[in-house]
Amino acid sequence: MSDTIGHIVNLVMVGDDHVETGMQPSKIIRVKSSDASVACDGVGGALGHPLVYLQFEGNESVDCYYCSQRYTKADQSSEQAHASA
């Protein structure tokens, strides 16, 4: 029974935060370093999940709590390199 519960529950609550337990992001999506939040709907359409807005809250990256997609702020040097290309 406890093994079944362990497989069903992917998040463990720790105070006001949550800690992922076994879900790994499939790829990392880079966003502008000035972005305060990102929107995630999984893969979209019928295979996605409800649209959620994820706040960076001073962190350099944030993971979606539905699909584990990771969003990371690009550093300014890489943003400038893309802008000049």
Side-chain angles (χ1 to χ4, degrees), residues 41-72:
D41 65 356
V43 295
L47 299 177
H49 58 68
L51 179 65
V52 293
Y53 293 91
L54 307 166
Q55 303 292 321
F56 283 100
E57 297 178 341
N59 298 311
E60 291 299 312
S61 65
V62 64
D63 294 342
C64 177
Y65 46 85
Y66 279 107
C67 67
S68 294
Q69 177 60 62
R70 178 163 291 168
Y71 297 90
T72 301

Side-chain angles (χ1 to χ4, degrees), residues 11-21:
L11 298 175
V12 176
M13 297 304 292
V14 179
D16 290 335
D17 298 326
H18 66 272
V19 177
E20 292 184 55
T21 60

